[in-house]
Amino acid sequence: MNVVVLTGAGISAESGVPTFRDADGLWEGHRVEDVATPEAYDVRPSMVQKFYDDRRAALAGVEPNPAHTALARLEEILGDNLLLVTQNIDDLHERGGSRHVLHMHGQLLSALCRGCNGRSPWEQGLSDFPPCPRCGVPELRPDVVWFGEVPYEMDRIQQALMRTDLFVSIGTSGAVYPAAGFVQMAKACGARTLELNLVPSEGTAFFDEARHGPAGELVPVWVDEMMTRSAL
Ligand code: BJW
Ligand code: ZN
């Protein structure tokens, strides 16, 4: 069976990583749609760099939860028949044991050079505008996808959605495209679709089945079901 899993901020919530659109969401007082843009970075680069430096530093204080580790167990069974796509820029899937993770909105532990367009692994802060390891120009920005920018690996994701048997969306509000449209694309191509989210998402009506509750409980149960089925 071929499976595509899409994850969002809700899967990391129980690890202590704030989501974007819940009551205690990120960017305190600002709508993410107003600040996660290249224009906001052009106007206030230091503020934006500090925000991402703080989030990068906070990774050291959080751990993967049972939802992340359950998806790693699923990868062990399905191998290349699982495509795990995350909108998250944290590294909790990798630390939970997943080996192949497609970060469509980029990664905190990577820097993108506005001089040469190169991507470099990055663990430190960027607020002091260090030189790019590739070209030496001090134009490194967070390697994340802001509104108006094209998410990574869209061709690969679209190909996978067209041939998948099952599409599962975990912990995402369904407020941001193109990820919010994956359910309809997969369904139009014949896949069964399942939502696992704390509450009904904006797109909940598009799913064949929706289960609501914390990802740390729902995901291990669903993965156990998948493992039982694959053992039959
Ligand atoms: C739990 C839980 C628990 C809590 N257990 N669950 C008009 C109409 C349609 C589209 C557009 C439009 N105008 C503009 C657009 C396009 C635009 C867009 O979608 N805008 C919307 C505002 C409408 N999109 C873009 O610009 C994208 N690019 C693009 O479209 O390029 C064109 C193109 C596409 C494809 C091919 C070719 C060209 C880029 C979008 C970039 C988004 N970037 C951000 C910031 C990334 C860096 C960072 O992290 O700071 O990505 S915004 C932010 O939202 C972040 C997230 O990845 C993304 C999604 O958020 P997510 O993960 O869903 O989090 P929340 O907080 O919204 O939801 C959490 C959910 O978890 C909730 O439902 C909770 O209930 C649940 N939950 N606890 C389970 N314990
Ligand atoms: Zn460079």
Side-chain angles (χ1 to χ4, degrees):
M1 179 190 267
N2 200 288
V3 182
V4 175
V5 171
L6 170 72
T7 66
I11 197 167
S12 296
E14 289 155 79
S15 294
V17 180
T19 62
F20 294 90
R21 295 172 184 81
D22 293 309
D24 55 349
L26 279 162
W27 293 102
E28 300 134 353
H30 300 283
R31 288 172 68 242
V32 63
E33 291 76 8
D34 294 335
V35 285
T37 65
E39 293 77 18
Y41 181 70
D42 286 339
V43 175
R44 292 202 281 175
S46 297
M47 187 271 282
V48 174
Q49 292 284 25
K50 182 180 180 316
F51 175 71
Y52 284 97
D53 282 358
D54 290 349
R55 285 171 69 191
R56 194 179 299 105
L59 288 180
V62 297
E63 296 292 334
N65 68 56
H68 298 104
T69 52
L71 291 178
R73 281 195 286 127
L74 186 64
E75 185 184 55
E76 279 173 26
I77 301 292
L78 292 179
D80 290 343
N81 288 323
L82 173 69
L83 181 67
L84 175 55
V85 181
T86 187
Q87 298 169 86
N88 299 343
I89 63 175
D90 65 49
D91 63 344
L92 291 178
H93 281 304
E94 287 85 351
R95 284 200 271 144
S98 289
R99 278 176 290 176
H100 301 289
V101 187
L102 207 154
H103 285 267
M104 65 178 289
H105 289 167
Q107 298 188 67
L108 276 169
L109 296 176
S110 176
L112 174 66
C113 178
R114 299 215 301 178
C116 70
N117 236 11
R119 306 174 75 187
S120 303
W122 203 266
E123 293 187 1
Q124 314 304 318
L126 290 170
S127 289
D128 54 348
F129 296 94
C132 168
R134 292 162 178 268
C135 73
V137 172
E139 283 281 359
L140 293 175
R141 55 160 270 189
D143 186 7
V144 301
V145 178
W146 287 319
F147 287 106
E149 298 180 326
V150 179
Y152 287 114
E153 306 260 25
M154 282 309 300
D155 286 349
R156 204 170 138 204
I157 297 169
Q158 277 160 358
Q159 294 291 326
L161 289 169
M162 285 194 290
R163 60 166 197 270
T164 195
D165 302 302
L166 175 62
F167 171 75
V168 185
S169 171
I170 303 171
T172 177
S173 59
V176 176
Y177 288 84
F182 290 173
V183 56
Q184 287 156 288
M185 193 181 296
K187 203 170 173 172
C189 296
R192 203 175 83 79
T193 56
L194 169 66
E195 169 171 279
L196 305 176
N197 203 53
L198 190 61
V199 296
S201 72
E202 290 188 21
T204 197
F206 297 122
F207 290 85
D208 296 314
E209 183 186 351
R211 302 180 188 177
H212 298 129
E217 292 175 16
L218 295 182
V219 179
V221 168
W222 169 68
V223 168
D224 286 346
E225 289 170 13
M226 290 290 292
M227 291 175 106
T228 307
R229 210 170 299 159
S230 76
L232 292 177

